[in-house]
Amino acid sequence: MTGTMTFGTGGMTRPAGTIVGMRIRRTLAVLFAGLFSATAVGVIHARGVVDAVYPAPRSLSVPAPAATTSGTRPTVAVLLGAAGANAADVLAPYETLAASGRYTVLTVAESHDPVPLTGGLEVVPDRTFADLGRADWIVVPAVQQTDTPRLRPAVDWLQRRYADGSKIMSVCAGAGLLARTGLLTGRPATSHWLAQYGLEREYPEVRWQRGTRYVDDGRIVTTAGVLSGVDGALRILEREHGAEVARQAAAAVRWTAYHPGGPAPIDAAHPGPADTVALLNLGFRRQVHAAVLLTPQVGEIELASVFRTYTEMSYTARLTPVSADGGPIRSRHGLTFLARAAAGGAGYDRLIVPGHQAAAGGVDPAWHPVYVHQRDEFPFEGTLRDLAATTDVPTAHWVAKSLEYRPGELSGTAFPWWPALLLTLAALAGGIGCVLLRAGLARRPRLRHWLRHLVEMLIAMVAGMVLLGPLWGGLTHGRPVAMALAMGFDMALGMAAWMAVRGHDRRMIGEMALVMVAPFVLLAPFVSGAALMTAGHTLMLVAMVALMLVRWRHYSQAPTWSPVFRRRTEQPVTSG
């Protein structure tokens, strides 16, 4: 008599270990299906949400603003990326320096075409690279498409200006563009706490620092996250005009955290469990469609506080800038912003009105305006308070953390219930669907085996991309074609390794690897960038499925293991 227990099932006897193993596999399959379905729903929703943060630039014939330079005041040029720039990175140091009255502050881009800032706020550049004269300081904010050839003109312009004597201040992730120029090599520098994880890998030659508002290294000043750009601007004023001038500028923009004499220490932030609220919002929160009323003489930081707070990192709203007549407006210090429609139209959940001056009245009450700057305080206080009240407090705290800003007291819902509920429902639907699918496939074993091969190989493909991708960072950085080819190779290698573990022979492994890499190789001479990534992945998946259908006899057999891994009672998968 042995110690092995057996169970009878319709005339069959199975060891207890086999029964337990089957139950574990079924449970894991249901859990994986729930996770996969929730992730898929989140990814599909997130694509539209992310697109709303930086809408595509519009092709408009807009005359260049009539900005003038003063022969007695030094010039500060705030760089705008062609594909978009962070609203707070641009507008916070812009207004701080402009409010001091000591500089002529201009925005500069490759052309005069409108540039979208965060949330779809479009600004018309004051100058182009070609027609801007000398710039004493250049401010480099976080811009879009840093790794693409589209920003090559900006990189070249920065290098030339620095060689001509310009000083440079980067704001937040703008340090990435500055590092791309090579000007940070060997220097101490800082950036946004979240961006630094990637920057430390991509630019190891830079001496990255955390836990400080800014790093002043002579001709180059780098600042930490987002609103640290205010401190960087105050540092410029302090260096060149004294602490009293800097203190007056801080008071003008109602910034209470000015730290004279050097950078203020800040918490070296890191991702934490509470920060997952951003993923919940990104994947499962219904976005509010809000119009933002642009009014003449509105403060630049007041605008930034709306267009940054409700969009990037919070993902709670889709914003549309409007004006009273649908025309452009000029801000307090002379920037030209474009509206996309006239105010008073239907189809919006809210009409947000930025500006302490606008809150005093003058807006048609029939439009049901929401004033977020009624108090005399730093503008982000009002928007963070409204965000907490209309969504939830964890979201507002996460946005403040991403801004590297400590707000006052926030009140509102203590937990994002609706996004969490939608996540749970998506996961339950996936789990129930898995149970039903397994029941349906129980009578079709060959189809079940074929699908299992496909799922396992797709997982191996993604694993290869994730595990091997970082190894190519230095070689493919800034080279979209090389990046796409490396990604195709990584996925093919991951799948080939798993096929070897599963006992597939060399011919089958070679065929599958070939159909995975071939689309990228064939398309590379004709397309590049995002088009190559999209077309290459699509054709690769189609070719994989097609090959598995052609080799139906092979892939419809039960998966097994190679001789190294399988048990003695199992047989390897053979070619068919």
Side-chain angles (χ1 to χ4, degrees):
M1 180 176 179
T2 65
T4 302
M5 296 183 63
T6 59
F7 295 90
T9 328
M12 297 179 59
T13 302
R14 294 182 178 178
T18 302
I19 298 295
V20 172
M22 290 175 60
R23 289 175 178 172
I24 292 175
R25 288 195 297 272
R26 288 172 180 170
T27 301
L28 290 176
V30 172
L31 291 175
F32 176 79
L35 176 63
F36 177 81
S37 62
T39 303
V41 171
V43 169
I44 292 171
H45 181 266
R47 291 187 62 183
V49 173
V50 171
D51 290 343
V53 176
Y54 286 101
R58 293 188 292 172
S59 297
L60 299 174
S61 298
V62 180
T68 58
T69 57
S70 170
T72 59
R73 290 186 298 184
T75 300
V76 176
V78 182
L79 178 67
L80 301 174
N86 186 286
D89 291 4
V90 170
L91 300 179
Y94 177 95
E95 181 171 3
T96 303
L97 291 168
S100 73
R102 301 302 177 109
Y103 298 94
T104 297
V105 190
L106 304 168
T107 54
V108 61
E110 186 179 357
S111 72
H112 282 300
D113 292 338
V115 173
L117 303 182
T118 316
L121 176 63
E122 292 177 301
V123 60
V124 181
D126 297 312
R127 294 286 187 272
T128 66
F129 296 156
D131 61 26
L132 178 69
R134 172 180 169 76
D136 297 271
W137 279 93
I138 299 172
V139 176
V140 182
V143 298
Q144 294 297 292
Q145 301 183 8
T146 306
D147 296 331
T148 66
R150 190 173 185 183
L151 280 182
R152 187 72 239 179
V155 171
D156 294 340
W157 182 76
L158 285 171
Q159 292 170 332
R160 290 195 306 270
R161 287 302 185 186
Y162 187 78
D164 290 340
S166 296
K167 299 180 282 291
I168 300 176
M169 182 185 83
S170 69
V171 183
C172 191
L177 178 58
L178 192 55
R180 183 178 167 185
T181 67
L183 298 177
L184 290 183
T185 299
R187 290 178 178 269
T190 191
S191 182
H192 190 283
W193 61 268
L194 192 57
Q196 276 195 228
Y197 289 104
L199 293 174
E200 288 166 355
R201 291 194 303 268
E202 293 181 30
Y203 302 102
E205 67 279 4
V206 180
R207 290 150 48 199
W208 297 106
Q209 299 183 11
R210 292 177 179 265
T212 183
R213 279 288 182 188
Y214 61 80
V215 172
D216 184 349
D217 192 42
R219 287 182 60 197
I220 293 182
V221 176
T222 54
T223 76
V226 193
L227 292 179
S228 297
V230 176
D231 291 286
L234 295 173
R235 177 59 175 174
I236 292 174
L237 287 166
E238 182 182 88
R239 274 178 43 172
E240 300 190 346
H241 303 285
E244 183 56 33
V245 171
R247 188 176 289 106
Q248 291 172 4
V253 298
R254 298 185 288 281
W255 181 256
T256 60
Y258 172 51
H259 188 270
I266 56 175
D267 296 333
H270 298 281
D275 301 338
T276 55
V277 68
L279 298 178
L280 277 177
N281 291 345
L282 182 61
F284 301 96
R285 184 182 289 278
R286 174 192 171 271
Q287 284 189 298
V288 173
H289 189 187
V292 181
L293 182 61
L294 310 181
T295 56
Q297 298 301 306
V298 63
E300 290 83 8
I301 297 179
E302 291 171 336
L303 284 174
S305 71
V306 171
F307 283 91
R308 171 59 168 79
T309 298
Y310 299 99
T311 57
E312 192 172 36
M313 296 299 185
S314 68
Y315 309 111
T316 60
R318 182 182 296 268
L319 304 180
T320 300
V322 301
S323 65
D325 59 0
I329 65 101
R330 296 275 281 180
S331 65
R332 182 174 300 159
H333 297 99
L335 288 179
T336 300
F337 293 100
L338 304 183
R340 289 179 177 257
Y348 302 116
D349 300 310
R350 309 177 80 199
L351 175 67
I352 299 174
V353 184
H356 186 64
Q357 179 178 307
V363 177
D364 189 343
W367 296 345
H368 304 291
V370 176
Y371 299 106
V372 290
H373 296 132
Q374 299 187 66
R375 303 183 188 180
D376 188 16
E377 60 189 354
F378 189 65
F380 277 82
E381 286 286 343
T383 51
L384 287 170
R385 195 162 49 242
D386 181 71
L387 181 67
T390 56
T391 55
D392 52 76
V393 173
T395 294
H397 278 304
W398 158 245
V399 172
K401 181 178 179 179
S402 74
L403 294 167
E404 298 205 18
Y405 179 73
R406 291 186 176 180
E409 184 177 352
L410 302 175
S411 61
T413 305
F415 185 79
W417 293 105
W418 278 109
L421 177 60
L422 291 176
L423 168 64
T424 304
L425 291 175
L428 285 174
I432 294 171
C434 177
V435 172
L436 297 176
L437 181 62
R438 285 181 62 87
L441 292 176
R443 299 179 182 179
R444 298 174 177 83
R446 293 175 69 85
L447 177 59
R448 184 173 70 250
H449 299 329
W450 187 91
L451 289 172
R452 183 173 177 182
H453 277 296
L454 176 62
V455 170
E456 288 183 357
M457 292 163 75
L458 290 174
I459 295 172
M461 174 182 74
V462 174
M465 178 179 64
V466 172
L467 295 176
L468 300 177
L471 302 179
W472 298 96
L475 297 175
T476 62
H477 180 69
R479 300 181 178 90
V481 174
M483 189 181 300
L485 293 174
M487 186 177 293
F489 175 80
D490 293 343
M491 291 187 291
L493 190 59
M495 184 173 288
W498 181 251
M499 290 181 71
V501 169
R502 272 304 199 182
H504 297 267
D505 61 33
R506 293 180 180 177
R507 186 181 71 176
M508 291 295 169
I509 295 175
E511 285 181 351
M512 186 58 70
L514 179 63
V515 301
M516 290 185 64
V517 176
F520 293 98
V521 175
L522 295 175
L523 290 172
F526 307 102
V527 295
S528 63
L532 177 59
M533 287 285 190
T534 302
H537 281 84
T538 301
L539 292 179
M540 178 192 67
L541 292 173
V542 171
M544 282 175 53
V545 173
L547 178 61
M548 291 181 67
L549 289 174
V550 170
R551 298 296 190 187
W552 170 264
R553 181 181 174 188
H554 175 81
Y555 289 104
S556 62
Q557 296 183 57
T560 184
W561 303 99
S562 71
V564 178
F565 296 95
R566 73 173 185 269
R567 300 171 183 171
R568 276 180 282 178
T569 56
E570 293 179 317
Q571 297 298 320
V573 177
T574 57
S575 306

